[in-house]
Each structure stands twice: as structure tokens, then as C-alpha cells.
Amino acid sequence: IPLLRRALAMSKRPLMLFASPWTAPAWMRSNGDVRGKGSLKGHAGDKYHKAWANYFIKFLDEYAKHNVTFWAVTAQNEPLAGLFTPPQAPTIAFTAAQQRDFIAQDLGPALANSPHRTRLLMLDDQRIHLPHWAKVVLGNATAARYVAGLAVHWYLDAIVPPGCSLEATHKLFPDHFLLYTEACTGFFMFR
């Protein structure tokens, strides 16, 4: 918080912060650990999903007490990585349908009913998952009304052309923006 407040004070323009979760607490996860392969226990609409959605609100509440607000949150950082992650990585696995249902039944309503004007971004994973992921989530009218845009990572961009992913998704859902939220070079050990 001190670093964020310092950056906000130094910026000549307002900073638009977004947050993206890695994992829920172990008691909410199917594997009982914050690390490794696992998903939220149960299904959308149950006590685990409601509690996880409330964690988002509590996170926003606590930062707001320090005059730090977030422009957006993502529903999950790299939700498909949770299926393939190394044993020590903290993540939650979601399929597109599971993320859709979590957004429609839990996270979307929790954000909408909170005092925060924080936007909700979906996917937050590789561009290779577009436009399929968008069709599943934004094809549902309830989920789509809570989602402002799609968060995308660039690590596997060389595999799929932008016309097949970004352009195709934009044509299907022109009212939802596309935003690269994570990128770096040198993540492959052999390069």
C-alpha cells in the first residue's frame, strides 16, 4: 500500500489499477492446499463460491480504507494453468463454463451490490483461448452484463494469429474491450 500510494502521488495522471487473484484459501480448494492443481470446492452459487466472491469485496474494502481504489479485477489469473501447473504454483482451475457461472451467480452480483465501481475482466489467460472463452462467458446474457472486458496474456501469441483470436473476438463482442494484462520476455528457459 505505501508503494501504491507513492506511485499514485507521483503520477501526473490518475493510475488505473487492476487486481488479479492467484488462489483462494486452502479451505475453499478441492485439494486443500493453496498450491498445485485444484479448483474451488463445490459449484457456482454455493457457500465456497459466495465466500470467494466476498473475498474480492473485502480486498477492495481494505484497500479503499487506504485511499487505494481499483479500476478493475479479473475473475482469476490464468484459470487454465490450474490444470497444468507445477506443484508449487498457487492457482485455481476454472473452465470457461465454470468462470461463466461464477461470474453470473457469485462475483458479478457481489461487485454490483458493493459500493465499489470496480470493473470485472474475464479470462486473464492466453490469447489462444479466444474466441471460445468469450463465446462461453459472454454468450450468457447474465454473465455478459457484469463483464466489462477480456484480459489476455501474450505468452503463446505465436501459436495463433491475432485475426483468429483478437479480431474474431472483437467482431463477436464489440462492446467488450480486450486488454493485455500480463506479458514478459525470457519466460522460456531455453530462450
Side-chain angles (χ1 to χ4, degrees):
I1 291 173
L3 289 174
L4 286 173
R5 291 176 78 184
R6 208 164 133 206
L8 290 164
M10 291 172 60
S11 179
K12 294 179 182 172
R13 296 179 293 160
L15 295 181
M16 297 170 67
L17 303 174
F18 84 92
S20 186
W22 280 85
T23 187
W27 67 268
M28 290 185 192
R29 290 176 38 103
S30 62
N31 67 346
D33 193 336
V34 296
R35 298 162 299 175
K37 296 176 184 170
S39 59
L40 283 177
K41 289 180 181 175
H43 56 276
D46 71 8
K47 67 181 182 178
Y48 298 104
H49 288 70
K50 297 279 184 225
W52 184 227
N54 286 331
Y55 263 65
F56 282 73
I57 306 309
K58 289 181 184 291
F59 169 85
L60 296 170
D61 289 345
E62 291 303 313
Y63 273 87
K65 288 178 185 177
H66 297 278
N67 294 320
V68 176
T69 58
F70 287 83
W71 166 75
V73 293
T74 71
Q76 175 60 41
N77 181 60
E78 295 189 353
L80 287 176
L83 300 173
F84 313 107
T85 188
Q88 297 303 313
T91 187
I92 300 174
F94 277 100
T95 64
Q98 289 167 328
Q99 189 173 82
R100 173 199 63 212
D101 296 345
F102 175 57
I103 289 170
Q105 296 179 40
D106 305 298
L107 184 54
L111 280 170
N113 293 324
S114 80
H116 307 287
R117 297 302 95 201
T118 305
R119 296 170 183 232
L120 178 58
L121 308 181
M122 57 162 279
L123 184 56
D124 207 18
D125 210 330
Q126 308 307 317
R127 178 175 98 190
I128 197 169
H129 304 304
L130 295 175
H132 167 73
W133 202 279
K135 288 177 184 177
V136 172
V137 178
L138 298 178
N140 177 283
T142 303
R145 95 171 165 227
Y146 294 119
V147 174
L150 293 85
V152 184
H153 297 183
W154 80 341
Y155 306 109
L156 302 176
D157 277 7
I159 296 172
V160 61
C164 296
S165 55
L166 298 175
E167 188 176 342
T169 303
H170 176 68
K171 284 180 180 178
L172 289 168
F173 304 102
D175 295 333
H176 292 82
F177 62 84
L178 294 151
L179 176 69
Y180 273 94
T181 55
E182 184 179 318
C184 72
T185 59
F187 64 94
F188 285 124
M189 299 294 272
F190 57 85
R191 296 178 97 174

